[in-house]
Each structure stands twice: as structure tokens, then as C-alpha cells.
């Protein structure tokens, strides 16, 4: 790992290099909660809750943006600019 910092006030924690990655695992305060990068699978695993604003999904096949509206979720196809509304049905339970 390498800490690339400017006067030790800000910086970026770097693990590995482009096309030569490393596995890493960071633990949370709660037992069993962590975030882990598996370089051989190119996968980020999270054992816990992911909190985010809007969610961008993009690869060579598609590009979508999921947005939390006030009363529903929407999804925009960024390639066609078409906007869709998730149809949510309330179910019993909590």
C-alpha cells in the first residue's frame, strides 16, 4: 500500500497498480462487517449496508441511472435518455 499525500493533509491510499492489483479487506466496528476487493474476480464484496445517493450502472452493454425520487424509484437509460418508473407493490411484513 502507498499513501500518496500532499503535505500529509489529503491523499489517496493506493494498493497495487493499474493491471497489477491487490486484494484488500477493511473491517468495520461491528463483528462480521467489512468491505473486500477480490482482484482475481474483479469484485467488491460488502458485508454490511451500502449507503449511496443515486446509483450509476455502466458497462459495455448498458448505462443506467437509478434515482430515489420522493415517492418512487426511477431508472433512466442513459444511452436512449428514456425514463422509467419502478412499479412497487406494498407487501405485508416489515
Amino acid at each position: 500500500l502507498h499513501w500518496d499525500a500532499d503535505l500529509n493533509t489529503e491523499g489517496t491510499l493506493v494498493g497495487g497498480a493499474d493491471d497489477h492489483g491487490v486484494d484488500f479487506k477493511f473491517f468495520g466496528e461491528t463483528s462480521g462487517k467489512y468491505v473486500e476487493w477480490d482482484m482475481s474476480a474483479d469484485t467488491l464484496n460488502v458485508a454490511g449496508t451500502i449507503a449511496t445517493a443515486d446509483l450509476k450502472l455502466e458497462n459495455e452493454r448498458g448505462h443506467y441511472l437509478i434515482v430515489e425520487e420522493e415517492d418512487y424509484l426511477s431508472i433512466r437509460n442513459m444511452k436512449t435518455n428514456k425514463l422509467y418508473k419502478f412499479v412497487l407493490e406494498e407487501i405485508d411484513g416489515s
Side-chain angles (χ1 to χ4, degrees), residues 24-77:
F24 73 77
K25 191 171 192 176
F26 290 104
F27 291 91
E29 187 63 22
T30 303
S31 177
K33 303 300 181 187
Y34 59 86
V35 60
E36 173 183 42
W37 175 255
D38 180 339
M39 71 167 187
S40 61
D42 282 337
T43 302
L44 183 67
N45 300 304
V46 177
T49 300
I50 297 175
T52 184
D54 299 339
L55 181 61
K56 178 181 173 183
L57 305 171
E58 183 176 13
N59 60 25
E60 63 279 351
R61 297 178 310 276
H63 181 182
Y64 289 88
L65 182 65
I66 299 174
V67 177
E68 182 181 9
E69 307 292 354
E70 186 173 338
D71 296 322
Y72 61 92
L73 298 175
S74 67
I75 184 168
R76 180 176 297 277
N77 181 323

Side-chain angles (χ1 to χ4, degrees), residues 11-31:
T12 303
L13 182 61
V14 178
D18 190 24
D19 201 26
H20 187 74
V22 295
D23 291 338
F24 73 77
K25 191 171 192 176
F26 290 104
F27 291 91
E29 187 63 22
T30 303
S31 177

